Amino acid sequence: MEGDVHDAESFGFNPESSWHANVRAQTRQGKRFERVRLVDDPPTEGQRFLMASGLGNVEAGEDIRNLYRSEAQRLGLPNDDFWLFDSRTVVKFVIDDHGVTLGVRVLDDPEAVVRACQARDAAWHHAIATAEFHARVPSSR
């Protein structure tokens, strides 16, 4: 199907993209952009879109890895969606029962930060690089 969100060619590196340009500039200065995405099996269309667009983000300099949600649950990882900045600040998303993001909570207390760092490290250890993961997931076509 033409235009399918699984078609990675539509989502490669784009030097005109402000996000890609920023990632390139920051990583050239030695900064790191890393993330682990939890993916259902089979992936939802939204997750397929994120995997396809993630290929361009990786080419820009991000290190994005993927982990099946069932594996994250087996490992006892939290079901929270969060960002961790410099291992000092946690931005935890507040999401309702319908998957709608209601806002965020910014946390910098040591206990919350350490829990987030532990979850990140465990997820990172078990996650698979985007290109390899993308190649393993069967097309929905």
Side-chain angles (χ1 to χ4, degrees):
M1 169 191 322
E2 193 169 337
D4 183 80
V5 294
H6 194 60
D7 180 5
E9 292 178 357
S10 302
F11 299 104
F13 173 69
N14 176 0
E16 302 299 315
S17 159
S18 60
W19 179 256
H20 288 176
N22 180 51
V23 169
R24 275 270 163 104
Q26 298 297 319
T27 56
R28 282 188 181 129
Q29 293 176 28
K31 297 178 183 178
R32 297 185 335 226
F33 288 74
E34 302 169 333
R35 60 174 106 187
V36 173
R37 289 188 168 139
L38 297 185
V39 181
D40 294 311
D41 189 12
T44 66
E45 281 303 305
Q47 291 166 349
R48 285 182 181 280
F49 172 82
L50 290 174
M51 286 189 313
S53 64
L55 294 169
N57 291 0
V58 168
E59 193 175 340
E62 286 190 64
D63 191 348
I64 302 174
R65 299 184 185 189
N66 298 271
L67 181 66
Y68 279 114
R69 186 176 308 280
S70 59
E71 178 69 1
Q73 290 169 340
R74 187 188 72 72
L75 294 168
L77 296 176
N79 197 28
D80 301 329
D81 190 357
F82 65 89
W83 291 342
L84 181 60
F85 294 94
D86 298 327
S87 297
R88 297 178 147 204
T89 304
V90 179
V91 176
K92 188 174 180 180
F93 288 80
V94 179
I95 301 172
D96 72 11
D97 294 337
H98 303 288
V100 175
T101 301
L102 303 175
V104 297
R105 290 184 20 217
V106 178
L107 309 168
D108 60 3
D109 64 277
E111 186 177 328
V113 171
V114 166
R115 277 195 315 269
C117 288
Q118 289 171 332
R120 175 209 50 210
D121 293 349
W124 193 259
H125 178 76
H126 293 279
I128 300 167
T130 291
E132 181 183 343
F133 190 85
H134 194 274
R136 291 181 184 185
V137 175
S139 173
S140 62
R141 297 177 198 191

Short mmCIF file of all heavy atoms in Angstrom, two decimals, residues 44-69:
data_model
loop_
_atom_site.label_atom_id
_atom_site.label_comp_id
_atom_site.label_asym_id
_atom_site.label_seq_id
_atom_site.Cartn_x
_atom_site.Cartn_y
_atom_site.Cartn_z
N THR A 44 1.12 -1.32 17.07
CA THR A 44 -0.01 -0.52 16.61
C THR A 44 0.45 0.32 15.42
O THR A 44 1.66 0.45 15.17
CB THR A 44 -0.51 0.42 17.71
OG1 THR A 44 0.52 1.39 17.99
CG2 THR A 44 -0.88 -0.33 18.99
N GLU A 45 -0.48 0.90 14.69
CA GLU A 45 -0.10 1.77 13.57
C GLU A 45 0.73 2.95 14.06
O GLU A 45 1.69 3.35 13.41
CB GLU A 45 -1.34 2.25 12.81
CG GLU A 45 -1.90 1.21 11.87
CD GLU A 45 -0.88 0.71 10.85
OE1 GLU A 45 -0.30 1.54 10.12
OE2 GLU A 45 -0.65 -0.51 10.79
N GLY A 46 0.38 3.51 15.22
CA GLY A 46 1.17 4.61 15.78
C GLY A 46 2.59 4.18 16.10
O GLY A 46 3.55 4.93 15.87
N GLN A 47 2.74 2.96 16.64
CA GLN A 47 4.08 2.45 16.94
C GLN A 47 4.86 2.18 15.65
O GLN A 47 6.06 2.42 15.60
CB GLN A 47 3.97 1.19 17.80
CG GLN A 47 3.48 1.50 19.19
CD GLN A 47 3.03 0.27 19.96
OE1 GLN A 47 2.89 -0.83 19.40
NE2 GLN A 47 2.79 0.45 21.24
N ARG A 48 4.18 1.71 14.61
CA ARG A 48 4.84 1.50 13.32
C ARG A 48 5.33 2.85 12.77
O ARG A 48 6.43 2.94 12.21
CB ARG A 48 3.90 0.84 12.32
CG ARG A 48 3.70 -0.63 12.60
CD ARG A 48 2.80 -1.26 11.54
NE ARG A 48 2.59 -2.66 11.82
CZ ARG A 48 3.46 -3.63 11.54
NH1 ARG A 48 4.60 -3.34 10.94
NH2 ARG A 48 3.20 -4.88 11.84
N PHE A 49 4.53 3.88 12.92
CA PHE A 49 4.94 5.22 12.48
C PHE A 49 6.19 5.65 13.25
O PHE A 49 7.15 6.16 12.65
CB PHE A 49 3.81 6.22 12.69
CG PHE A 49 4.24 7.64 12.44
CD1 PHE A 49 4.29 8.14 11.16
CD2 PHE A 49 4.61 8.46 13.49
CE1 PHE A 49 4.71 9.44 10.91
CE2 PHE A 49 5.02 9.76 13.27
CZ PHE A 49 5.07 10.25 11.97
N LEU A 50 6.19 5.46 14.58
CA LEU A 50 7.36 5.86 15.38
C LEU A 50 8.60 5.07 15.00
O LEU A 50 9.71 5.62 14.96
CB LEU A 50 7.06 5.71 16.87
CG LEU A 50 6.04 6.69 17.44
CD1 LEU A 50 5.71 6.34 18.88
CD2 LEU A 50 6.55 8.12 17.34
N MET A 51 8.43 3.78 14.70
CA MET A 51 9.59 2.99 14.26
C MET A 51 10.12 3.51 12.93
O MET A 51 11.33 3.65 12.74
CB MET A 51 9.22 1.51 14.15
CG MET A 51 9.07 0.84 15.49
SD MET A 51 8.89 -0.97 15.41
CE MET A 51 7.68 -1.21 14.15
N ALA A 52 9.22 3.80 11.99
CA ALA A 52 9.64 4.29 10.67
C ALA A 52 10.30 5.67 10.78
O ALA A 52 11.36 5.91 10.20
CB ALA A 52 8.45 4.34 9.72
N SER A 53 9.71 6.57 11.55
CA SER A 53 10.29 7.90 11.70
C SER A 53 11.56 7.85 12.54
O SER A 53 12.45 8.69 12.39
CB SER A 53 9.28 8.87 12.29
OG SER A 53 8.91 8.49 13.60
N GLY A 54 11.67 6.85 13.40
CA GLY A 54 12.85 6.70 14.23
C GLY A 54 14.11 6.44 13.42
O GLY A 54 15.21 6.78 13.85
N LEU A 55 13.96 5.84 12.24
CA LEU A 55 15.13 5.58 11.41
C LEU A 55 15.83 6.88 11.01
O LEU A 55 17.06 6.96 11.03
CB LEU A 55 14.72 4.78 10.17
CG LEU A 55 14.21 3.36 10.45
CD1 LEU A 55 13.59 2.76 9.19
CD2 LEU A 55 15.32 2.49 10.99
N GLY A 56 15.07 7.91 10.67
CA GLY A 56 15.65 9.21 10.35
C GLY A 56 16.27 9.87 11.57
O GLY A 56 17.31 10.52 11.49
N ASN A 57 15.61 9.70 12.73
CA ASN A 57 16.15 10.26 13.97
C ASN A 57 17.49 9.60 14.32
O ASN A 57 18.41 10.27 14.78
CB ASN A 57 15.17 10.07 15.12
CG ASN A 57 13.93 10.93 14.97
OD1 ASN A 57 13.79 11.68 14.03
ND2 ASN A 57 13.02 10.81 15.92
N VAL A 58 17.58 8.28 14.09
CA VAL A 58 18.84 7.58 14.34
C VAL A 58 19.91 8.09 13.40
O VAL A 58 21.05 8.35 13.81
CB VAL A 58 18.65 6.05 14.20
CG1 VAL A 58 19.99 5.32 14.17
CG2 VAL A 58 17.78 5.53 15.34
N GLU A 59 19.57 8.28 12.14
CA GLU A 59 20.54 8.80 11.18
C GLU A 59 21.00 10.21 11.56
O GLU A 59 22.15 10.59 11.33
CB GLU A 59 19.92 8.81 9.77
CG GLU A 59 20.92 9.05 8.69
CD GLU A 59 20.32 8.94 7.30
OE1 GLU A 59 19.24 8.35 7.14
OE2 GLU A 59 20.95 9.48 6.37
N ALA A 60 20.12 10.96 12.22
CA ALA A 60 20.48 12.31 12.68
C ALA A 60 21.43 12.27 13.87
O ALA A 60 22.13 13.24 14.13
CB ALA A 60 19.22 13.10 13.04
N GLY A 61 21.44 11.13 14.61
CA GLY A 61 22.36 11.02 15.74
C GLY A 61 21.76 10.47 17.01
O GLY A 61 22.48 10.25 17.98
N GLU A 62 20.46 10.24 17.03
CA GLU A 62 19.85 9.65 18.22
C GLU A 62 20.16 8.16 18.27
O GLU A 62 20.40 7.53 17.25
CB GLU A 62 18.31 9.79 18.18
CG GLU A 62 17.80 11.16 18.45
CD GLU A 62 16.29 11.16 18.63
OE1 GLU A 62 15.81 10.55 19.60
OE2 GLU A 62 15.61 11.78 17.79
N ASP A 63 20.14 7.61 19.47
CA ASP A 63 20.23 6.17 19.65
C ASP A 63 18.88 5.74 20.21
O ASP A 63 18.59 5.96 21.39
CB ASP A 63 21.36 5.80 20.60
CG ASP A 63 21.66 4.31 20.61
OD1 ASP A 63 20.85 3.52 20.07
OD2 ASP A 63 22.70 3.93 21.18
N ILE A 64 18.05 5.19 19.35
CA ILE A 64 16.70 4.77 19.75
C ILE A 64 16.67 3.26 19.73
O ILE A 64 17.07 2.64 18.74
CB ILE A 64 15.62 5.33 18.80
CG1 ILE A 64 15.69 6.85 18.76
CG2 ILE A 64 14.23 4.85 19.25
CD1 ILE A 64 14.76 7.48 17.74
N ARG A 65 16.18 2.70 20.81
CA ARG A 65 16.05 1.24 20.90
C ARG A 65 14.60 0.90 21.21
O ARG A 65 13.84 1.74 21.68
CB ARG A 65 17.00 0.70 21.95
CG ARG A 65 18.45 1.02 21.56
CD ARG A 65 19.44 0.46 22.48
NE ARG A 65 20.78 0.93 22.09
CZ ARG A 65 21.87 0.47 22.61
NH1 ARG A 65 21.84 -0.47 23.53
NH2 ARG A 65 23.04 0.95 22.21
N ASN A 66 14.25 -0.33 20.95
CA ASN A 66 12.87 -0.79 21.12
C ASN A 66 12.84 -2.04 21.98
O ASN A 66 13.74 -2.86 21.92
CB ASN A 66 12.25 -1.09 19.75
CG ASN A 66 12.21 0.15 18.88
OD1 ASN A 66 11.26 0.91 18.91
ND2 ASN A 66 13.27 0.38 18.12
N LEU A 67 11.76 -2.16 22.73
CA LEU A 67 11.57 -3.28 23.63
C LEU A 67 10.10 -3.65 23.60
O LEU A 67 9.24 -2.77 23.71
CB LEU A 67 11.99 -2.87 25.05
CG LEU A 67 11.91 -3.90 26.15
CD1 LEU A 67 12.90 -5.03 25.93
CD2 LEU A 67 12.19 -3.23 27.50
N TYR A 68 9.83 -4.93 23.40
CA TYR A 68 8.43 -5.33 23.43
C TYR A 68 7.86 -5.08 24.83
O TYR A 68 8.52 -5.33 25.84
CB TYR A 68 8.27 -6.80 23.04
CG TYR A 68 8.29 -7.02 21.55
CD1 TYR A 68 9.31 -7.73 20.95
CD2 TYR A 68 7.28 -6.50 20.75
CE1 TYR A 68 9.33 -7.93 19.57
CE2 TYR A 68 7.30 -6.69 19.37
CZ TYR A 68 8.31 -7.40 18.80
OH TYR A 68 8.33 -7.59 17.44
N ARG A 69 6.64 -4.58 24.86
CA ARG A 69 5.97 -4.26 26.11
C ARG A 69 5.90 -5.50 27.02
O ARG A 69 6.10 -5.40 28.23
CB ARG A 69 4.56 -3.73 25.84
CG ARG A 69 3.84 -3.23 27.08
CD ARG A 69 2.48 -2.63 26.73
NE ARG A 69 2.56 -1.63 25.69
CZ ARG A 69 2.93 -0.37 25.86
NH1 ARG A 69 3.30 0.05 27.05
NH2 ARG A 69 2.95 0.47 24.84
#
